[in-house]
Amino acid sequence: MKFRCERDVLVEALGAAGRAVANRGGALPVLSGVRAELEGDRLRLTGSDLELTIAVDITVAGSADGLAVLPSRVATDVVRSLDSGSVEVSVEGDEAHITSGRFQSAIRVLPADEFPRLAQPTDDAVTLAAADFAEALHQVVPAASADDARPILTGVLMAAEGHGLRLVATDSYRLAVRDLPGASILREGQSVLVPSRALRELERLLGGAAEVTLRLGEREATFEVGGVRLTTRLIEGEFPNYRGLIPVSHPNRLTVGREALAEAVRRVKLMAREPNTPVRLGMSSDGLELIAITQDVGQAHEQLDADYAGTELTVAFNPDYLLNGVEVTPGDEIVLDTVDAQKPAVIRANGGNEFLYLLMPVRVS
Amino acid sequence: MRVIVANCSVDYAGRLSAHLPLAPRLIMVKADGCVAIHADGGAYKPLNWMNAPNRLVEGDGVWTVTNPNGEKITITLVEVLSDSSWVLGTDPGLQKDGVEAHLQELLAANCTHLAEGFRLVRREYPTDIGPVDLLCRDADGVTVAVEIKRRGEIDGVEQLTRYLDFLNRDPMLRPVRGMFVAQQIKPQARVLAADRGISWLEVDYDELRGLASNELRLF
């Protein structure tokens, strides 16, 4: 295998594929490498840890087709260290030679025949607008759990809803639901659970792209953005029945400027210094008061103009979860619907129904 | 443990040279031969020290400590303010985490946290290969061996499997089923446990201690 390409293009491709590379290779040391396959002028770089696979196609000036597995970390570090300009890569025997200007290096490659055969995506493809999908991921994915002990909650549910697609994630403290009307990629009643880690990587790839193509298999989902294909294994299991968690009616409704609330939470939470220290929202006809108190450290209050309809109420929330919900809710104004101090509150855009953020309060004395 | 408080100066020669000028200091000579010179500050690190094996020669006002690497500490004692020796015996070791033992204690005190109708037969039930954390009877009277860990990993399941193998040889107990209990159980350990017919349970330490979390959950 032998090709020549621009250093910047190769660095970006190695970096993208390398994000799926297994950290230490685990049981399969070859997975610590990036599989490079050259056919004509098309170079495909593939990294995988078997759960997540990222394949990147780039155009190079190919001289000799071939296949090799380059150690990801070393190869990326070497190419990244080079000045911008042309880089030549050639593989002979068990060594890859990377040459640029007067720099030369020889890197021992990994056995290509040990690289696992990866599933091919199905033919059924649906194309979505990348910007809408990226926004939906930005809103929903942070609510997924990072706790591997509950693998179901580390996934984002993608389900057919009406004539569109619904994304749902929860870590049991909060729940984010986003509808994408018109994006019918699933059959009625069909749903899949996609690992949030894969969707975080996808969100990173979607920046600036126009379209994303989705293919759903029985066990994998594949997303294609430009020359990058991301394939992830689906999580098996039943997602919690989230519909029953959303209160049907709320006696209290607060309407407040989104950015003003976000800024106030950012300031006040600086006095929530201990883990599990909440920010209290005092809601009355006078508006909204945010309070955070950490014993032996200090306290912060901030009063905000807001419309409130309902009984006077103080509800406490985890400040990070509250802030995340406020930040990802669209629109200039949000509504916060509450029942009481111990029942889930709902954050929505004022007048908008496509996104919902359900947040459990924190119990305070 | 010999504890000396003295006005002394110390010179070290070895990988580098170092000098501690005359000042009051604490000198410890431990039972294993380690010598450490401390100032009146800092939590743990001596100003100078030499690990065992070494050779301590007590001369007239001058001690020399040497080791096989050619390093040498010379302690010049100008005035000894205190010199006492104590037999401390074998140290029981640092207990970094008492959670596991406390979990066992709490679950033994209330087996129904494990499952409805559970009764405790014995804590630390002996087998030929070591004691099982809890031996219980379930609501149907079936014997249940319970292994308790803070973090449930595959080796804990393996350990319980070995206990079950031995316990099921006892005609008075068998059939004995297993239950693997931890604050958090790794997915691989769950799969292995399920594959071997062992049930598993995650328990909330704070809840068992009666410390209700102020964090409410959706489900």
Side-chain angles (χ1 to χ4, degrees), chain B residues 104 107 111 114 118-120 122 124-125 131-137 143-149 160 163-164 167 176-182 198-199 201:
Chain B
Q104 188 197 106
L107 289 168
C111 287
L114 297 169
F118 261 42
R119 287 174 291 116
L120 180 68
R122 186 176 164 176
E124 301 283 347
Y125 187 90
V132 180
D133 288 337
L134 301 181
L135 197 72
C136 300
R137 299 254 188 217
T143 311
V144 187
V146 182
E147 183 61 32
I148 300 165
K149 297 287 183 200
L160 180 55
Y163 289 144
L164 288 170
L167 290 167
V176 183
R177 68 179 178 92
M179 181 183 257
F180 189 50
V181 179
I198 294 170
S199 56
L201 178 71

Side-chain angles (χ1 to χ4, degrees), chain B residues 59-199:
Chain B
D60 185 17
V62 178
W63 289 11
T64 55
V65 194
T66 52
N67 71 7
N69 298 332
E71 294 171 295
K72 181 177 176 182
I73 291 177
T74 305
I75 306 170
T76 305
L77 299 161
V78 174
E79 182 186 11
V80 175
L81 305 170
S82 167
D83 186 348
S84 57
S85 293
W86 309 85
V87 178
L88 303 185
T90 307
D91 192 85
L94 180 67
Q95 290 190 345
K96 285 187 177 173
D97 195 342
V99 172
E100 206 166 287
H102 197 205
L103 273 175
Q104 188 197 106
E105 191 181 311
L106 291 165
L107 289 168
N110 194 347
C111 287
T112 52
H113 278 296
L114 297 169
E116 201 63 43
F118 261 42
R119 287 174 291 116
L120 180 68
V121 175
R122 186 176 164 176
R123 266 181 81 182
E124 301 283 347
Y125 187 90
T127 75
D128 292 345
I129 54 169
V132 180
D133 288 337
L134 301 181
L135 197 72
C136 300
R137 299 254 188 217
D138 68 13
D140 299 325
V142 175
T143 311
V144 187
V146 182
E147 183 61 32
I148 300 165
K149 297 287 183 200
R150 193 168 69 83
R151 288 176 65 85
E153 297 182 357
I154 277 181
D155 53 355
V157 180
E158 296 285 4
Q159 186 184 357
L160 180 55
T161 306
R162 291 195 294 272
Y163 289 144
L164 288 170
D165 185 34
F166 272 77
L167 290 167
N168 273 306
R169 297 176 194 178
D170 185 340
M172 302 294 287
L173 296 176
R174 71 181 175 219
V176 183
R177 68 179 178 92
M179 181 183 257
F180 189 50
V181 179
Q183 277 181 285
Q184 194 178 66
I185 299 177
K186 294 254 185 182
Q188 298 92 328
R190 296 176 186 192
V191 171
L192 185 65
D195 187 58
R196 295 183 176 175
I198 294 170
S199 56

Side-chain angles (χ1 to χ4, degrees), chain A residues 66-146:
Chain A
L67 173 67
V69 178
L70 309 172
S72 174
R73 178 75 62 84
V74 177
T76 308
D77 286 351
V78 167
V79 177
R80 184 177 286 128
S81 72
L82 301 173
D83 292 332
S84 287
S86 180
V87 181
E88 186 180 277
V89 179
S90 62
V91 179
E92 288 169 21
D94 59 358
E95 281 192 339
H97 299 270
I98 300 176
T99 311
S100 177
R102 291 195 285 180
F103 173 84
Q104 291 185 357
S105 70
I107 301 171
R108 189 163 289 242
V109 298
L110 298 162
D113 55 343
E114 291 181 12
F115 202 88
R117 186 179 293 271
L118 301 167
Q120 288 300 309
T122 57
D123 291 335
D124 297 335
V126 180
T127 300
L128 302 173
D132 291 349
F133 199 61
E135 186 193 41
L137 294 179
H138 179 65
Q139 290 171 314
V140 170
V141 171
S145 173

Side-chain angles (χ1 to χ4, degrees), chain A residues 267-344:
Chain A
R267 278 189 289 272
V268 170
K269 90 184 187 89
L270 295 173
M271 282 300 158
R273 308 296 293 184
E274 300 285 336
N276 305 329
T277 302
V279 165
R280 295 165 201 232
L281 272 59
M283 295 172 282
S284 68
S285 54
D286 294 337
L288 171 67
E289 185 183 25
L290 289 89
I291 307 164
I293 304 169
T294 302
Q295 208 166 4
D296 303 328
V297 176
Q299 53 182 281
H301 296 242
E302 184 160 345
Q303 192 80 33
L304 281 181
D305 292 332
D307 291 329
Y308 183 66
T311 53
E312 201 166 300
L313 181 67
T314 297
V315 191
F317 296 107
N318 175 312
D320 294 323
Y321 295 167
L322 173 63
L323 182 59
N324 177 236
V326 173
E327 283 176 336
V328 299
T329 301
D332 295 333
E333 274 195 333
I334 63 162
V335 291
L336 175 71
D337 288 331
T338 50
V339 178
D340 61 32
Q342 298 197 12
K343 292 213 170 61

Side-chain angles (χ1 to χ4, degrees), chain A residues 132-322:
Chain A
D132 291 349
F133 199 61
E135 186 193 41
L137 294 179
H138 179 65
Q139 290 171 314
V140 170
V141 171
S145 173
D147 183 3
D148 288 334
R150 305 179 77 182
I152 298 283
L153 300 188
T154 63
V156 172
L157 182 76
M158 295 172 64
E161 185 73 20
H163 294 290
L165 173 69
R166 173 171 281 187
L167 304 184
V168 188
T170 178
D171 60 4
S172 82
Y173 298 104
R174 60 214 168 124
L175 172 94
V177 182
R178 167 69 199 261
D179 286 327
L180 283 165
S184 48
I185 59 171
L186 295 158
R187 293 185 304 277
E188 184 63 35
Q190 189 189 6
S191 65
V192 291
L193 199 49
V194 185
S196 56
R197 176 194 164 210
L199 295 178
R200 281 195 187 91
E201 293 300 335
L202 177 63
E203 195 184 336
R204 182 190 291 263
L205 296 171
L206 286 173
E211 290 181 333
V212 52
T213 302
L214 168 60
R215 289 183 166 89
L216 283 176
E218 283 202 7
R219 292 175 182 273
E220 303 89 23
T222 300
F223 303 87
E224 288 176 27
V225 184
V228 184
R229 177 195 287 171
L230 181 150
T231 304
T232 177
R233 259 195 208 175
L234 299 174
I235 299 173
E236 291 179 29
E238 195 167 338
F239 197 73
N241 177 16
Y242 68 93
R243 292 174 197 272
L245 301 171
I246 303 169
V248 180
S249 64
H250 293 89
N252 311 306
R253 170 162 287 193
L254 178 86
T255 308
V256 62
R258 188 180 69 86
E259 195 49 45
L261 177 58
E263 287 291 338
V265 175
R266 284 187 202 109
R267 278 189 289 272
V268 170
K269 90 184 187 89
L270 295 173
M271 282 300 158
R273 308 296 293 184
E274 300 285 336
N276 305 329
T277 302
V279 165
R280 295 165 201 232
L281 272 59
M283 295 172 282
S284 68
S285 54
D286 294 337
L288 171 67
E289 185 183 25
L290 289 89
I291 307 164
I293 304 169
T294 302
Q295 208 166 4
D296 303 328
V297 176
Q299 53 182 281
H301 296 242
E302 184 160 345
Q303 192 80 33
L304 281 181
D305 292 332
D307 291 329
Y308 183 66
T311 53
E312 201 166 300
L313 181 67
T314 297
V315 191
F317 296 107
N318 175 312
D320 294 323
Y321 295 167
L322 173 63

